[in-house]
Amino acid sequence: MASSEAVTAVARHRPDVVLMDVRMPGMDGLTALKELRRATNPPRIIMLTTFDLDDYVHTALRGGAAGSC
């Protein structure tokens, strides 16, 4: 699923928790995180990455992710 589709699906289904990859087709997961955090009562978002870059983790946490791994 592309991250823009994920943003649409979250708005439609209003889940409590979202597991999102940092790298996704279309907009990246970090951009999608920003969009999701703008919502009223946003879900808790856990960011996932296989990349060994601390910057992704720090950016996700600063952006409002509940956790990152």
Side-chain angles (χ1 to χ4, degrees), residues 54-65:
D54 290 341
D55 189 48
Y56 285 142
V57 173
H58 294 146
T59 301
L61 294 173
R62 281 192 308 268

Side-chain angles (χ1 to χ4, degrees), residues 41-55:
N41 271 342
R44 294 183 59 94
I45 302 164
I46 307 296
M47 296 298 294
L48 173 70
T49 184
T50 59
F51 295 95
D52 189 22
L53 296 173
D54 290 341
D55 189 48

Side-chain angles (χ1 to χ4, degrees), residues 5-38:
E5 293 173 42
V7 170
T8 301
V10 168
R12 183 180 318 118
H13 299 290
R14 312 271 304 142
D16 294 323
V17 178
V18 173
L19 176 62
M20 182 167 288
D21 197 339
V22 167
R23 293 278 178 108
M24 297 176 71
M27 77 173 82
D28 65 27
L30 296 171
T31 303
L33 168 68
K34 290 178 189 175
E35 289 210 17
L36 292 172
R37 295 293 301 155
R38 288 187 197 133

